[in-house]
Amino acid sequence: MKLFSGSGRHSAPGKHSAKPHGGKMDPERGLRARENAGDEGRTEEKRTSPEPAKHAPRTEGASRERTPERRDGAGRQTEKAPDRKKSRLLIAAIVLGTIVLLAMIGLAAFEIWADAPDIDKGGLVTKEPTVTDKPGDTLSTPQPAATPKPESTPEPDGESKATPEPAKTGRREGVYTVLVVGQDVAGMNTDTIMVATLDTVNKSLNVVSIPRDTLVNVTWAVKKINSIYGMTGTEEGLVDGISELLGYKVDSYAVVNIYAFEQVIDAIGGVDFDVPMHISWGDPTIGRSYDIPAGMQHLNGHDALGVVRFRKNTDGTGYPTGDIGRVETQQRFALAVAKQMLSLGNIPNLSKIIGIISDNLKTNLTSGNMAYYAQEFLKLDSDQITFSIMPYEPVYIKGGSYVSVNLGAWMEMLNEKLNPYYESITEEHLDILTFSNGSFYSTTGILAGGYDSFYDYMQ
């Protein structure tokens, strides 16, 4: 058996070793002798150990602080006391590393889950003029002025004419289009209509609201865009109807009901929003009543719904511009939600939100598509997101309030903010009916159903 001194070195055997008479070792005596030798060895070592210099120079890189030592009751040094500061730093590093690792794993799982939606490759829709025998259907369509042919400039001798690069055609890479509509609780009217184009290459999101009373070229009596979903009865009919104003079919659509909206706002923890005026109204059809002060408020799902659906209070006060005022508030609210998500750098409870949307929305988006849109959205800055309203003029037809498209300004907005194709959208891609100064104008030359088909609000 080997015994160790307190300093960690072997005790020296030799002069204190004991041998019994006759050359035989007495085990007990030998053990006591070795113990005594060990004690004396330690004492000798302690006496002969040199004293450290009081002013010994510090070595390069030596710590300025001495590590505290622990001693037992006899004054002997035991194990070194732990450096608490270093321990805390080590624990913090481990925790931080674990968080980073989990975040990386979560991000990787999120990216694997995300799936880019399919895009519509049908190109811009070309509208052919419709021939009809019904009186009042055909409108005179003014012909565009002929563009003068530029005079050719002769090339200098010895110089060849440069061949221009062909213009790009087809879909722009990484650009996606989405239609989001809010379904009215009383039926299938869609009182909120937003068209968005997300450019994942150039990092932009442009959202344009279409007022619900926008005049559309349809055969039924109430020729407002919010009636398309109810009259066609399908999401495909809704997409086709909206495409008449856009010149192309959107890639994705989502029909949102009010209950999904409430649940989503609650799932993200509510939204801070500057309420434009005191809101006090109720909707007995869904059993909701609202009393929300003006100014900055933290809105839960219930109150947020009351704000975005509000037009006028029970006492008659409200937005002077009616539905347009509501559209403006909806856009400001959507921007507030976007800024809140971007400032957090994530969408709280994203999996829960996707579940809510999947259970309450009519959409052609998969869960993976929604995750992809969320992933690309979080890569944006708030100044890369724009909200606009379709250019319009308020008009009255047979006593009914409509919104007539400002065609020139609308085509400019389409090509600047929404068009997913390289080719420019022109009138030949649209089926738009406008009304101004008592006259109709149609991009196809046809007023569907004729003037007599309009609902008469004055009867």
Side-chain angles (χ1 to χ4, degrees), residues 4 52 182 227 249 277-278 286 356 365 393-394 409 430:
F4 297 89
S227 67
K249 287 188 178 182
M277 64 179 66
H278 179 227
I286 59 172
I356 293 170
L365 292 169
E393 295 177 8
L430 308 173

Side-chain angles (χ1 to χ4, degrees), residues 42-353:
R42 283 192 293 271
T43 303
E44 181 69 21
E45 180 184 2
K46 188 174 182 181
R47 282 198 303 267
T48 59
S49 296
E51 290 284 338
K54 292 184 179 180
H55 300 288
R58 294 181 181 272
T59 58
E60 185 70 22
S63 172
R64 294 182 177 273
E65 294 184 4
R66 296 183 60 189
T67 303
E69 300 176 348
R70 293 191 182 188
R71 297 180 179 274
D72 58 15
R76 289 190 293 268
Q77 178 183 341
T78 61
E79 62 181 270
K80 293 183 178 180
D83 189 328
R84 295 182 179 178
K85 182 177 180 180
K86 290 183 178 180
S87 297
R88 288 195 295 268
L89 290 175
L90 179 60
I91 293 172
I94 293 173
V95 172
L96 180 60
T98 304
I99 292 173
V100 171
L101 178 60
L102 291 175
M104 292 174 64
I105 294 173
L107 179 60
F110 182 79
E111 291 182 348
I112 293 172
W113 180 32
D115 180 30
D118 295 331
I119 62 172
D120 183 89
K121 297 182 179 180
L124 297 176
V125 180
T126 301
K127 298 294 179 182
E128 297 293 338
T130 304
V131 179
T132 178
D133 295 330
K134 293 182 180 180
D137 282 10
T138 304
L139 302 175
S140 58
T141 306
Q143 298 297 319
T147 304
K149 184 178 180 180
E151 296 182 1
S152 59
T153 303
E155 295 290 335
D157 293 339
E159 292 186 12
S160 60
K161 188 176 181 180
T163 304
E165 292 185 4
K168 290 184 177 181
T169 59
R171 281 290 293 250
R172 293 156 53 204
E173 183 181 356
V175 176
Y176 301 88
T177 59
V178 187
L179 169 67
V180 179
V181 301
Q183 185 177 349
D184 190 277
V185 294
M188 293 184 71
N189 286 342
T190 51
D191 286 349
T192 300
I193 304 171
M194 292 184 177
V195 181
T197 295
L198 173 65
D199 187 339
T200 63
V201 175
N202 298 306
K203 304 302 179 188
S204 67
L205 173 62
N206 297 321
V207 183
V208 176
S209 292
I210 301 176
R212 68 170 192 169
D213 294 333
T214 298
L215 178 64
V216 288
N217 201 11
V218 294
T219 57
W220 53 85
V222 180
K223 302 177 189 295
K224 297 184 178 183
I225 197 169
N226 72 333
S227 67
I228 292 177
Y229 186 40
M231 294 302 294
T232 60
T234 64
E235 290 75 39
E236 289 74 17
L238 171 65
V239 170
D240 288 342
I242 299 296
S243 72
E244 308 283 9
L245 268 72
L246 300 176
Y248 61 88
K249 287 188 178 182
V250 294
D251 305 320
S252 312
Y253 65 81
V255 181
V256 186
N257 63 49
I258 62 170
Y259 305 107
F261 176 87
E262 283 185 329
Q263 292 177 56
V264 168
I265 298 302
D266 285 336
I268 64 175
V271 177
D272 294 327
F273 185 66
D274 190 3
V275 180
M277 64 179 66
H278 179 227
I279 292 176
S280 179
W281 71 291
D283 186 349
T285 60
I286 59 172
R288 299 284 198 278
S289 61
Y290 308 98
D291 188 7
I292 306 168
M296 186 60 70
Q297 308 292 337
H298 185 75
L299 303 177
N300 58 18
H302 173 273
D303 289 346
L305 182 65
V307 170
V308 299
R309 294 186 66 221
F310 169 76
R311 279 193 303 162
K312 62 181 180 180
N313 289 311
T314 52
D315 63 2
T317 59
Y319 299 125
T321 54
D323 184 60
I324 300 301
R326 175 168 64 176
V327 170
E328 292 171 345
T329 297
Q330 290 172 349
Q331 290 193 339
R332 289 196 305 108
F333 182 83
L335 183 59
V337 173
K339 287 183 176 180
Q340 182 170 309
M341 297 302 98
L342 293 175
S343 67
L344 292 174
N346 68 81
I347 301 177
N349 298 319
L350 178 59
S351 59
K352 181 179 180 180
I353 291 171

Side-chain angles (χ1 to χ4, degrees), residues 120 122-127 168-172 175 177 195-197 208 210 242-250 405-432 443:
D120 183 89
L124 297 176
V125 180
T126 301
K127 298 294 179 182
K168 290 184 177 181
T169 59
R171 281 290 293 250
R172 293 156 53 204
V175 176
T177 59
V195 181
T197 295
V208 176
I210 301 176
I242 299 296
S243 72
E244 308 283 9
L245 268 72
L246 300 176
Y248 61 88
K249 287 188 178 182
V250 294
V405 180
N406 184 325
L407 189 55
W410 175 234
M411 285 192 296
E412 183 178 343
M413 182 177 287
L414 279 173
N415 287 306
E416 179 183 346
K417 295 184 177 294
L418 296 179
N419 188 1
Y421 292 91
Y422 285 110
E423 302 96 324
S424 294
I425 297 172
T426 64
E427 284 193 25
E428 69 177 357
H429 303 119
L430 308 173
D431 184 359
I432 292 180
T443 57

